[in-house]
Amino acid sequence: MSNFYQKLCDAIGAASVREQEPMSAHTTFRAGGPARYFVTPEGEKELAAVLAACREAEKAYYILGNGSNLLVSDAGYPGVMILLGSQFTEVVRPESEPGVYELGAGVLLSRAAREAQKDGMTGFEFAAGIPGTVGGAAVMNAGAYGGEMKDILTAVTVLDQEGNEKILSAEELELGYRTSCILKKGYIVTGAKIKLKHGEETAIRARMEELKKQRVEKQPLEYPSAGSTFKRPEGYFAGKLIMDAGLRGYLVGEAQVSEKHCGFVINRGNATAADVRTLMQNVADIVEEKFGVRLEPEVKMIGEF
């Protein structure tokens, strides 16, 4: 047993600390090696204790949401993978603020959308099919079908790298296309506040069903993937560039450019992280050679490739 492992156990309890946890079980790509340490702090106090232990031991850490935008190396992650626990999955409706929801960073976007729909609140329908958490969505200003987090966020609660809590207003977040100041400054989201408008519950449900139908028709939901694999280049669509480059169905090992939607890279069964990484690199190279446009990954890659 390592000294650092014992410090993590002392900080948050042995039941919340694991070693060599397979990340294929925690990412939507269903690929990748183990995390050296995998911890689940239940609340902000425990999270701050884990961060303090990491700082003291000079250990790298990564905050894990739903693993929907993440590719972990086959060699694994040598640091501390932090999955936010139960206190980060609460949904609160302040009585004094109609239409406002206080969401823990670990709340699934699909759950938040369902809660809003049941309450007859509109504005969050776009996020119902995004397979991520509120924390990750705030960091990356997640969006789909014409909606973005910046449209509804009013404030985000974060911890800085020293474990100090800060509340950032919407204006301070510097939200842009798949970016924010949270990302730039290395903050950790613990919660977010959104504001929605009153709508008709039946109309909201119908819109969510319409978007679900579009996703089922157009996206390869039957395979593990990380959703849109590349960022949208200015003035272009990544999927169309990939299709026009003749790469529909392109394979590396068991990683494949989806035949259903070329913007998705899928795991056909037993793809390794190296398969996915190589395919992404090859696709970006071929598209750049053919069209002079460099595709940038939307997927975060960690560990050694």
Side-chain angles (χ1 to χ4, degrees), residues 13 31 35 57 126 168-169 197 203 228 238 246-247 251 260 265 272 275 288:
F126 75 89
L168 304 176
S169 67
K197 297 177 181 178
S228 296
L247 294 170
L251 276 164
K260 195 172 188 181
V265 173
T272 64
D275 289 341
E288 184 174 31

Side-chain angles (χ1 to χ4, degrees), residues 48-110:
V50 169
L51 296 178
C54 289
R55 284 197 306 275
E56 183 181 344
E58 298 184 339
K59 294 283 187 183
Y61 61 83
Y62 186 87
I63 305 296
L64 179 68
N66 196 41
S68 59
N69 208 31
L70 181 65
L71 183 65
V72 179
S73 161
D74 295 313
Y77 180 64
V80 183
M81 192 66 65
I82 303 173
L83 178 67
L84 301 182
S86 60
Q87 289 182 32
F88 300 99
T89 59
E90 296 178 345
V91 175
V92 177
R93 302 164 176 81
E95 290 184 10
S96 61
E97 300 178 275
V100 169
Y101 292 76
E102 294 175 353
L103 307 170
V107 173
L108 290 172
L109 295 173
S110 55

Side-chain angles (χ1 to χ4, degrees), residues 15-32:
S16 297
V17 183
R18 286 177 256 172
E19 293 186 279
Q20 302 299 339
E21 178 72 8
M23 291 308 298
S24 58
H26 298 280
T27 60
T28 58
F29 256 134
R30 297 290 179 256

